[in-house]
Amino acid sequence: MIPGTSPARQAPWRLELARAIVDPEELLRLLELPDALLPAARRAHAVFPLRVPRPYLARMAKGDARDPLLRQVLPLAAEEAVVPGFGPDPVQDLAAHAAPGVLRKYAGRVLLTATGACGVHCRYCFRRHFPYEEANAARERFAAPLAYLAAHTDLHEVILSGGDPLTLRDEKLAEFVSGLRGVPHIRRLRVHTRLPVVVPSRVDDELLAWLGQSPVPVILVLHINHAREIDEPLRAACARLRASGVTLLNQAVLLSGVNDDLETLVALSEGLMDAGVLPYYLHMLDPVAGAAHFAVGETQARALLAGLRARLPGYLVPRLAREEPGASAKTILL
Ligand SMILES: *Cc1c(COP(=O)(O)O)cnc(C)c1O
Ligand code: SF4
């Protein structure tokens, strides 16, 4: 056997993913929540399965069905509501596929849907109805996307997205990063991920090794929606990433019942800065079917942003943004 390839050695983060909570009944039991929530949770789970890693669960309050972290992952009866304007492909990703797993919708940048897998299933996710099987950029060592990048010299940034690209094995990601050496017009690598948030042990030596070997600067955009998601293990993971030269930004989604009040958003920006992460976007909810109960109106969103500007230095105020189908950039609301 080749040293280091022993099947007995599973990275701790992979073990965490394997033991994530995927049964609504177990989630309710562990959090000491009433059984009355179970029938609806089971129905919504049949449409988009529950998935909650234990390190994320550990940050939730017991006995509180309205906990802002729980609300992001608990399947609810409200998901069954049919609401006009909320559909299966709100940002029309299906229309933007340039090659397998290659989404071409922003000028100069290209988005690779590297995998359909995620470490956590967020109930508001716009990809909950996405046909992932057709969007696997990581197949055959990223051959199709690397060929696409090489053929398009107008591209300067590659964005690994998903699903969650950090659910891929480090060997695969390392191959992609070394493949970038053959595409000199690519000047930046960006990775959008929520995995280090929900499983901080994802930031391990193997991850830092390929990040450190990138021929271009790496920007990691974390998806943190609430200050209580930032615990000591996550702060330590962020410190290691920063020490490796990675730029850390955050993209939050404005979610009713999670972070739609001023104090919560101030605490989020300050918590991010304490962890060495700059707030980048505060995203309006994409109108995906099953997530209408998370929607925050534009008037309230603008008022919250004005409140943040009155309270915080400019660099701690995220850009309030919305994805418009077919547009070549996000629309900035404020
Ligand atoms: C908005 C967005 C991008 C690109 O937009 P920028 O304005 O370049 O930041 C890429 N990936 C995801 C997931 C996004 O939401
Ligand atoms: S793509 Fe992001 S928002 Fe959607 S389920 Fe995965 S981690 Fe959550």
Side-chain angles (χ1 to χ4, degrees), residues 298-318:
E298 203 174 301
T299 307
Q300 189 194 348
R302 287 176 190 273
L304 286 168
L305 248 283
L308 283 179
R309 289 171 64 157
R311 288 274 296 273
L312 293 171
Y315 60 87
L316 291 187
V317 180

Side-chain angles (χ1 to χ4, degrees), residues 28 85 101 117 129 137 140 171 180 242 267 273:
L28 296 181
H129 308 286
E140 290 158 35
E171 301 90 83
L180 287 181
R242 273 159 39 85
M273 191 66 222

